Amino acid sequence: MVADKGYDSSSFARVIAELGAEVVVPSRSNAKQPRLIDENLYKDQNKIERFFNRIKHYRRIATRYDKTASSFLAFLHLAAAMTLLL
């Protein structure tokens, strides 16, 4: 589970660990016991956020203009392909 510092709480990290996932949430700067994280995994979060920001530039995706799930998914695939080509 990759998240930003806003999700830094011991109860949140405990629930994620109980589900069997790795917790990749950096500790806040005032944490008494900073959590060690995989920096490479955390850097990938930025790539994912930038990708979603780019596809939201297509109005049909940002506003869910399509009425059916299949046509929304089809345009989502098209927008993702166009974004990755640029």
Side-chain angles (χ1 to χ4, degrees):
M1 172 71 183
V2 180
D4 58 6
K5 290 181 183 183
Y7 293 95
D8 178 33
S9 73
S10 57
S11 60
F12 180 73
R14 191 176 330 107
V15 169
I16 297 301
E18 287 173 0
L19 293 173
E22 180 182 356
V23 179
V24 184
V25 179
S27 300
R28 293 188 178 130
S29 60
N30 62 352
K32 293 179 182 177
Q33 296 176 345
R35 183 181 303 114
L36 296 175
I37 63 167
D38 185 354
E39 293 292 332
N40 290 326
L41 284 176
Y42 187 69
K43 287 179 183 178
D44 287 342
Q45 175 198 14
N46 186 330
K47 294 176 188 174
I48 295 167
E49 287 180 358
R50 286 190 321 225
F51 171 75
F52 279 107
N53 186 28
R54 283 187 199 132
I55 64 171
K56 285 182 181 179
H57 287 275
Y58 295 97
R59 184 172 172 232
R60 287 175 67 168
I61 292 174
T63 59
R64 299 207 74 170
Y65 181 75
D66 296 309
K67 292 184 180 185
T68 63
S70 60
S71 61
F72 177 75
L73 183 61
F75 190 77
L76 185 63
H77 284 258
L78 179 63
M82 291 170 55
T83 300
L84 292 174
L85 290 175
L86 296 177

